[in-house]
Amino acid sequence: MSKNIDDLSEIELSRQKEPSEEAELTGWQGAIGKFFQFRRYHTNFRTEILAGLTTFMTMAYILVVNPLILSDAIFISQPKDLFTELVVATAISAAIGTLVMALYANYPFAMAPGMGLNAFFAYSVVITLKIDWRLALTAVLGEGLIFIVLTLTSVRRQIVNAIPLVMKSATSVGIGLFIAYIGLSGDPKVGGAGIIVANQATKTGLGNLKEPATLMAIFGIFIAAAFLARRVKGALLWAILATALLGWILGVTPWPEGIAQIPTYPKDLIGQAIGGITQLNANNFLDFLAVLLVFLFVDVFDTVGTLAGVGLRAGYVNEKGEMDRVDEALLADAVGTTAGAIMGTSTVTTFAESAAGVEVGGRTGFTALIVSLLLIVSMIFIPIFKAIPPYATTPALVITGVLMMSAITSIRWADPAESIPAFLTIFLIPLTYSIATGLAAGFITYPIVKSFQGKAQEVSIATWILAAVFVARFVFMSTRFG
């Protein structure tokens, strides 16, 4: 989407003033710059590396949180006995998907096992439905293979391009609020910000500002704001590191227990998704099919929403509302999910936290390549990354949310056919903790309001079909999973 320069953030302005390095570099550096098209995207090594570091730091929590969630359901004799193997499986599956995104799609998007889907896998599928975790991994594998087929037939690209431009803008804003909400609402008992907490009377409320973790998160936001105001390069990354270091010094959270450790080979996880098919029988077939379809649907539209929203912010969406290389990006997602299932983890999807790297200036696959390399290296330095408290990432997530709000100006709020679907999308993405649900609300509402205006002919057939799919999804979910 072409942008007016007045709509660009301060970070984007400063980035565009920097000359591209591609023309100046020779040898292997010049080859890398040419491969990732640094000149075309007005970027350079320094910016891309900072963007990769920032994205990694905002998503590094998944290396610990995903194993914590999955190890309640994936174990041999007792919960948590495969935790260290799950750490390695998480890192490798995320690295594979992100590497494909980097080299094949040339987008700065990182991938990892999705939050929400991992909880659904552990608590709804394995614990509640009592589906063996190996068979549950088979469902994830089946989903990934179906994704590959849908991508190769361009079905998923057509879905992305069928999203009206107003919905892309609304999704971008909704994702910004979503990741800011994640940063603000972490549980202070485990190092989260605790600025937003659950409240029995008002649903949510202001947390206890006397909590050390909460104070650190607030202080970190001011650090990030100061760095951003002064146009410090890598402001979000430095804010994360400064907040974590201060928390260690003040004793709010403990220092790392070590520097490095030898990764645990996931021998009990690799290949279980393939062997899990032996657990399928007449009694659990319908539940298995339902689970596979839920994984399929949520992953498709979480990824589509993230690509549309963050892609718009990065300037990848043209004046027609279309993105280049969508098939490549979606195939990276499909490969990541398939590889993740084989490694022994739940659905791998494009991470919304990629927006943090985009805001720093990441525009090419080299950003994703840096993230992929850091994911591999992180398996050795898990003690350090594990010691970085969640409140340290709050500044980056909140500021990213602020910057992504700029897309709201492109929505025509005087037109009910745009304002109502846009509002529902923006509102529901953070409050339902699901990009897919917010996108569904907007998609269902958009053609209906257009019809009320007597403009049904302006709605594409693809949009009507997707709206019907979303309605069917809600009916299916309510009848199958309550």
Side-chain angles (χ1 to χ4, degrees):
M1 178 180 179
S2 57
K3 297 183 180 178
N4 186 291
I5 194 169
D6 293 331
D7 292 331
L8 296 176
S9 68
E10 294 294 331
I11 289 178
E12 290 173 294
L13 285 172
S14 62
R15 177 180 61 80
Q16 289 191 0
K17 291 177 183 177
E18 296 178 354
S20 169
E21 292 182 354
E22 183 182 332
E24 303 172 4
L25 298 175
T26 58
W28 65 268
Q29 290 180 316
I32 291 175
K34 185 176 181 180
F35 179 83
F36 289 106
Q37 304 178 59
F38 282 3
R39 182 185 297 175
R40 175 184 177 184
Y41 293 105
H42 306 284
T43 189
N44 53 55
F45 273 96
R46 185 174 186 273
T47 299
E48 295 289 304
I49 291 172
L50 279 174
L53 286 167
T54 301
T55 294
F56 174 76
M57 294 301 290
T58 58
M59 65 176 288
Y61 69 86
I62 198 66
L63 297 173
V64 176
V65 175
N66 189 60
L68 281 174
I69 292 173
L70 292 182
S71 58
D72 283 339
I74 297 178
F75 56 86
I76 301 299
S77 57
Q78 62 182 1
K80 304 292 190 291
D81 62 8
L82 292 180
F83 177 84
T84 54
E85 291 191 22
L86 283 165
V87 170
V88 174
T90 299
I92 293 178
S93 60
I96 291 172
T98 304
L99 185 63
V100 176
M101 185 70 76
L103 301 180
Y104 185 57
N106 195 24
Y107 277 138
F109 304 141
M111 300 183 64
M115 288 295 293
L117 281 170
N118 52 10
F120 176 75
F121 179 102
Y123 304 119
S124 296
V125 177
V126 178
I127 295 177
T128 302
L129 292 180
K130 300 187 184 306
I131 290 179
D132 186 274
W133 61 266
R134 299 165 186 82
L135 182 58
L137 287 174
T138 302
V140 177
L141 177 61
E143 168 217 345
L145 295 175
I146 293 173
F147 271 176
I148 292 175
V149 173
L150 291 178
T151 302
L152 293 177
T153 56
S154 296
V155 171
R156 293 178 74 184
R157 174 177 56 81
Q158 293 172 21
I159 293 174
V160 175
N161 291 335
I163 300 176
L165 190 56
V166 62
M167 293 301 300
K168 288 185 170 73
S169 298
T171 303
S172 179
V173 176
I175 289 173
L177 293 178
F178 180 37
I179 61 180
Y181 182 73
I182 291 172
L184 293 170
S185 61
D187 186 354
K189 294 180 180 178
V190 292
I195 297 173
I196 296 176
V197 297
N199 184 293
Q200 189 172 2
T202 61
K203 307 300 182 186
T204 59
L206 182 65
N208 181 4
L209 300 185
K210 295 181 180 180
E211 285 279 356
T214 303
L215 290 173
M216 291 304 305
I218 294 172
F219 185 71
I221 293 172
F222 281 110
I223 291 177
F227 285 164
L228 196 65
R230 300 300 301 175
R231 298 188 182 182
V232 174
K233 291 298 177 184
L236 303 185
L237 174 62
W238 293 122
I240 292 172
L241 295 176
T243 305
L245 181 60
L246 189 60
W248 293 338
I249 292 173
L250 296 179
V252 177
T253 47
W255 288 86
E257 296 178 355
I259 297 177
Q261 69 179 36
I262 299 175
T264 303
Y265 179 72
K267 59 181 178 59
D268 297 304
L269 297 174
I270 291 181
Q272 293 299 325
I274 299 174
I277 193 69
T278 60
Q279 303 289 328
L280 188 63
N281 55 54
N283 294 326
N284 60 23
F285 177 77
L286 289 180
D287 283 337
F288 171 81
L289 182 61
V291 167
L292 187 151
L293 291 175
V294 170
F295 281 141
L296 178 67
F297 186 93
V298 175
D299 192 15
V300 165
F301 288 101
D302 265 3
T303 300
V304 165
T306 301
L307 288 177
V310 182
L312 177 69
R313 180 64 188 168
Y316 297 132
V317 181
N318 62 27
E319 61 276 2
K320 297 180 181 180
E322 299 175 343
M323 284 180 64
D324 292 331
R325 307 188 310 281
V326 169
D327 283 339
E328 289 87 341
L330 294 173
L331 185 60
D333 178 86
V335 170
T337 292
T338 304
I342 294 173
M343 288 301 304
T345 186
S346 56
T347 304
V348 172
T349 187
T350 306
F351 246 49
E353 282 84 349
S354 302
V358 167
E359 295 302 340
V360 170
R363 290 296 182 272
T364 76
F366 194 68
T367 291
L369 178 62
I370 295 299
V371 176
S372 182
L373 294 175
L374 289 172
L375 285 165
I376 296 298
V377 172
S378 68
M379 292 189 295
I380 300 174
F381 298 103
I382 281 294
I384 294 178
F385 295 117
K386 188 176 181 179
I388 296 176
Y391 64 70
T393 64
T394 296
L397 297 178
V398 170
I399 297 301
T400 297
V402 172
L403 296 173
M404 292 189 72
M405 285 296 293
S406 65
I408 205 168
T409 60
S410 65
I411 299 171
R412 295 183 297 174
W413 291 100
D415 182 358
E418 288 203 5
S419 60
I420 295 174
F423 173 78
L424 290 174
T425 300
I426 293 169
F427 189 72
L428 290 176
I429 284 177
L431 293 190
T432 62
Y433 225 74
S434 169
I435 296 171
T437 299
L439 193 60
F443 244 112
I444 293 171
T445 309
Y446 179 79
I448 293 175
V449 178
K450 274 287 190 181
S451 298
F452 290 158
Q453 290 180 326
K455 300 178 181 180
Q457 71 279 3
E458 295 182 6
V459 181
S460 68
I461 295 177
T463 301
W464 279 109
I465 292 174
L466 286 176
V469 169
F470 277 118
V471 171
R473 178 253 187 178
F474 282 127
V475 173
F476 175 79
M477 288 288 287
S478 62
T479 55
R480 196 72 200 172
F481 297 96

